[in-house]
Amino acid sequence: MSLFWRIFTLNAVGLTVATALLLGPVTVSTPVLPGEALVVLVGLAVLLAVNVLVLRVGLAPLGRLGRAMADADLLRPGARAVVSGPVETAELITTYNAMLDRLEAERAASAARALSAQERERHRVARELHDEVGQTLTAVLLQLKRVADRAPADLRAELGQAQQATRAGLDEIRRIARRLRPGVLDELGLLSALRSLAAEFTTHGLTVRHDLRAGLPSLTEETELVLYRVAQEALTNTARHAGADRAELRLRPVGDGVELLVRDNGRGLGPAAAEGAGIRGMRERALLIGATLTVEAGAGRGGSVGSGTARAGSVGSGTARAGSVGSGAGRGGAVGAGTGVRLRAPVRPVVGTGLAGTAGTAVGGPVGAVR
C-alpha cells in the first residue's frame, strides 16, 4: 500500500470512530467524569501511536535515502540506496539510483576525454622539449666546447663551469621529457618501465626496492598506463612528503589480475587528513578502467600506496620482518601503520578510456604529490 493510502486510511478510521461516538448513545457528562476522561485519553493515545507507527515505517526509507545522498561520491562508484518502503518511496529511490548510474557513466566519459587531452598535451610538450629545447642546448654545449678549445687558459675554467651547467640543464630537460612521455613503457613494457622508475627515484637519500614478478596476465594498454602513473605518483609523494629513506615497489599477479603496491617507511597521512587533488586524481584514473580505489589512513609513521587489478592484497597494518619496508608493526626497521591506497580493477577495463592510441603516454594529470 502506498504511503498516501496508509495515512488516508488511518485518518479515515479515526474520523469515522469519532463521528460514530458523536452520533451514538455515548455521552460525556458535564463536568467530565474521571472514567469518561480516561476513555477519551486512551483512545487519543491509541490514535496517535498508530499514526506515529505508520509515519515512521513509511518515512524511514526517505531517511535512509537522505543519508545515502549525503554520502554519495562519484569517485567511489557502486554505492546505491536500498529500494524499500511504500510505492512512492520505492519509485523515488529507484529513480535516484538510475540518476547515479547516468552521472557515474557521464563522469567516467568526461574524465576519459579530459585525461586523453592531457596526455596529448604531455606528448606534445615532451616532443617540443626534446626536439626544440634539447637540440638548442646541445648546440650551445657544442659551441661552448669550441670556444673553450680556443679560449685563453684563464677563461677555460669558467667555460668549463658553463659547460657543466648547460649539460646539467640538458639532462634535466631530458628527465622532464622522459617523465612526461615514458617511452620505455611503450618500447619495453610495464615491468621495464617500473624498474626504470624505481631506479630514477633511488636518489637523494631514498632507496627504492622493487619486486616485479613475471607471469603477469595479459593487460591492456589502458591498465598498464594507469598502473604506471599510480606508481609514479606514489613514489613522487614518497620522495616529496613522506620523509622516508626506503620504499618498495611491488607488482605481482593476484587471481585474475595483478596487484601493484608502493610503500615506504615515512610519515603517514593520518586518520583525519583530508583527501587532496592527487588522491582524487588517482580515483579518476581508477574509474577509467572500472577500478575501485580505497584510502586507508592510520596514525604514526609509514605509508603505502597500493593498486591492484581484480583483487587487492593486504595494504595497511600487518607484521613486518627486520629491515622490511611497509606499514604494520614489526621488528628492526619495520614501520608503524601509515596510509594505504588500494586499487581493485578487472584485467580488462570496464570503461573505454580512449587513451590506447596515445603512444608512450600514461593516464593522469601533472605528476605531483598524492597528498
Side-chain angles (χ1 to χ4, degrees):
M1 183 184 295
S2 68
L3 183 61
F4 169 80
W5 286 111
R6 290 184 184 185
I7 297 176
F8 176 80
T9 301
L10 176 62
N11 291 333
V13 170
L15 291 175
T16 301
V17 172
T19 303
L21 291 176
L22 290 175
L23 299 178
V26 179
T27 59
V28 178
S29 304
T30 304
V32 180
L33 298 177
E36 296 172 345
L38 179 61
V39 171
V40 172
L41 291 177
V42 170
L44 178 61
V46 171
L47 184 62
L48 292 177
V50 174
N51 197 32
V52 168
L53 179 62
V54 170
L55 291 177
R56 180 176 293 276
V57 173
L59 297 180
L62 291 179
R64 292 193 293 269
L65 176 61
R67 290 189 292 272
M69 295 174 68
D71 297 337
D73 187 350
L74 295 181
L75 293 180
R76 296 178 177 87
R80 296 292 182 269
V82 178
V83 179
S84 61
V87 177
E88 299 93 337
T89 306
E91 291 178 352
L92 177 62
I93 297 175
T94 301
T95 303
Y96 168 74
N97 290 339
M99 181 190 68
L100 279 185
D101 292 338
R102 292 195 302 271
L103 289 177
E104 288 177 0
E106 291 171 1
R107 182 182 180 91
S110 62
R113 290 192 296 269
L115 293 178
S116 179
Q118 289 180 4
E119 291 305 322
R120 289 194 297 270
E121 186 66 12
R122 281 171 175 247
H123 188 231
R124 184 189 65 81
V125 172
R127 185 175 61 249
E128 290 187 359
L129 285 175
H130 181 271
D131 296 343
E132 301 295 334
V133 181
Q135 296 300 326
T136 300
L137 288 179
T138 300
V140 171
L141 188 62
L142 295 175
Q143 183 67 23
L144 286 174
K145 185 179 183 304
R146 287 194 293 269
V147 173
D149 292 339
R150 299 194 303 268
D154 56 342
L155 294 179
R156 289 180 181 176
E158 295 182 8
L159 290 173
Q161 293 177 358
Q163 285 180 289
Q164 292 177 0
T166 304
R167 190 176 293 109
L170 182 60
D171 292 339
E172 181 67 14
I173 290 295
R174 289 172 177 169
R175 185 187 66 82
I176 293 174
R178 194 164 54 245
R179 296 190 69 182
L180 286 172
R181 181 180 179 271
V184 65
L185 179 62
D186 187 52
E187 297 167 1
L188 301 179
L190 179 61
L191 295 182
S192 297
L194 292 177
R195 291 190 188 98
S196 176
L197 189 65
E200 179 182 345
F201 279 91
T202 302
T203 181
H204 304 302
L206 177 64
T207 300
V208 181
R209 300 186 306 176
H210 59 78
D211 179 13
L212 308 174
R213 304 181 185 180
L216 298 177
S218 178
L219 302 175
T220 63
E221 279 190 52
E222 291 89 346
T223 302
E224 289 187 350
L225 296 178
V226 171
L227 291 173
Y228 181 86
R229 281 302 190 203
V230 168
Q232 187 180 48
E233 289 204 4
L235 289 174
T236 300
N237 178 65
T238 296
R240 291 185 178 181
H241 302 287
D245 57 4
R246 290 173 297 162
E248 182 181 10
L249 173 62
R250 180 186 300 172
L251 180 67
R252 62 177 182 176
V254 177
D256 58 348
V258 297
E259 177 189 74
L260 174 70
L261 175 65
V262 181
R263 55 187 181 183
D264 59 66
N265 65 340
R267 295 183 296 271
L269 289 177
E275 291 188 2
I279 292 180
R280 296 186 68 85
M282 295 175 73
R283 292 192 186 281
E284 290 185 351
R285 297 185 191 99
L287 288 178
L288 296 181
I289 57 174
T292 301
L293 185 123
T294 58
V295 179
E296 301 171 354
R301 293 180 57 82
S304 61
V305 178
S307 65
T309 59
R311 293 187 304 174
S314 177
V315 182
S317 61
T319 302
R321 296 185 299 273
S324 64
V325 182
S327 60
R331 303 182 299 273
V335 297
T339 302
V341 179
R342 190 177 299 177
L343 177 65
R344 297 182 180 181
V347 175
R348 299 290 175 181
V350 176
V351 181
T353 65
L355 295 174
T358 310
T361 59
V363 179
V367 178
V370 174
R371 303 181 182 185

